[in-house]
Amino acid sequence: MSATETEAPPIAGLGPAMATVESPAPARRTLGVGSPKSKTRRRAWYRWVSPLVLLVIWQLTHVFKLIDPNKLPPPSMVVTTAYNLAVHPIPAFGSLQAALLASVERFAMGFAAGGAIAVLLALSAGLSRIGDAAIDPLAQMIRMLPLFGLVPVFIVWFGIGQLPKVILVGLAAAVPLYLNLYAGIRSIDGRLYELGRVLGLTRKERLLNIVLPGAMPQALVGLRQSLGTAWLALVVAEQVNASTGLGAMIDQAENFLRNDVIFVALAVYTLLGLLTDAIVRAIERRAMAWRTDLVAA
Amino acid sequence: MSVTLDDANFSSTGSSVEAVRVRGLTRTFGNIGSRPGRGVLDNLDLTVKGGEIVALIGRSGSGKSTLLRILAGLDSGASGEFTVPGRVSVAFQDARLLLWKRVRENVALGLRGEDRLQIAELALAEVGLSDHLRAWPLTLSGGEAQRVALARALVREPELLLLDEPFGALDAITRLTMHQLVLELWARHRPAILLVTHDVDEALALADRVVLLADGRIAYEEHISLTRPRHHDHPDLVGKRNRLLAELGVYSKGAVH
């Protein structure tokens, strides 16, 4: 949950670009657009090898009867169970779709609320001295708070319904997003604000042209982190007294000693996490196009 | 401090009108007792006529960049008086492009109105970058980036163009090309130009007047009436160069006279 991970180095690399000798650039650029994409595609293909090998080994533990499938159900069994849960649901677990929907709904509500609050607070703290003094100390304290230690407190405060779960997800989403967006705004080169003054930009123009795009790389790092922590918070929240959702399914499966069902729920959580991460990376590729061109050159 | 922004002075392109008028400008940083800090301006007077190119030279800390920043409105801690025209543009030593905006959008930044992009395209054509409109700044060379910065400064039709060592980071050959470009642009638009530079040759190549700052005051002035472009080993320039270098303390004065 550490928010100090720096995946996006803020605007390095002006150096090498500046060093290139002036030359007819269009040729250089066409070269740049074509080659990196095919390179990325090739790398993407390679990246599937090790997970697939792991799946095969996992399946082989079952084929050679090395591990009891009740302890570690093989992938084939997980897939079959998932299919049965979806197509022939039994009352004990409910249908996979219903569980998925309940979980996604909780996640979406928590993430939307937490994300919106984080953005508002980070903008207030990042853009005004008063906002900074008022908000940032509190945010830095909340950051250190062990989130899951709040679960029993939340039960006392908010009961065992939807609310404590949504709040937990919201908090988990808000903290890394706030920290990174705030840091992103703070790290913007002061010389760009000078430029804004020289060009006579209004407050709004400055926000849209300098602050937000300048903070974007770090904000996207924050977004990916907050997705990770928010999914984690959802899993924890749902195992505390939930009657619907993937967490409730895990809870039931525990009672019935159905490890395969637990694995299905875990797999779905994982896929959801990967999916949201892929969405952010797609946004990243689009919003960071100005930088990928550099990687190409 | 009284600052007069002379908005009524829009059409002051004739050489008789003053573009910049500085009187008794004083700027001190972090005074320690009675000793002023570095980069001070000390009761400075300076006038730049409309369409005139004035080069400000001086050692580091002589106050030349401070003066430029005050005139650009980036430093409000000075006392004294100055007048600048309504339209002032600045180009910095670093091109200061927004890396996340394409070249054309960088130039159009801060422009208003429907035709802002077309205006930006015209300016980019003037600096010879018509085929880079959609390029990202990180794909540009140093000289190209600085040309974009010039286009961005010119696109607002400034009456006063402030250049803060804009070619300092460029290689020698690119710098000479940029000098040509600045002179062409100046000939076409006739803004008054205040150029801060370390480079005596640059000052001699471009300026009508070279002003040498030392300790926040004008220590020496040199008028150059040669037509441009100038050949840098023109006998007049050789003499003026030696004199300026001597004033800067590079040569001993005795050796020159």
Side-chain angles (χ1 to χ4, degrees), chain A residues 151-176:
Chain A
V151 170
V153 183
F154 277 15
I155 290 174
V156 176
W157 287 353
F158 309 115
I160 54 171
Q162 189 81 320
L163 190 61
K165 302 174 182 64
V166 170
I167 291 179
L168 198 72
V169 171
L171 257 179
V175 172

Side-chain angles (χ1 to χ4, degrees), chain A residues 11 22 28 194 205 209, chain B residues 69 99-100 112 139 147:
Chain A
I11 311 165
E22 226 169 317
R28 193 170 66 218
E194 273 187 10
E205 286 171 327
N209 293 303
Chain B
R69 291 178 57 81
L99 303 182
W100 44 83
R112 278 138 201 142
T139 63
R147 267 147 68 190

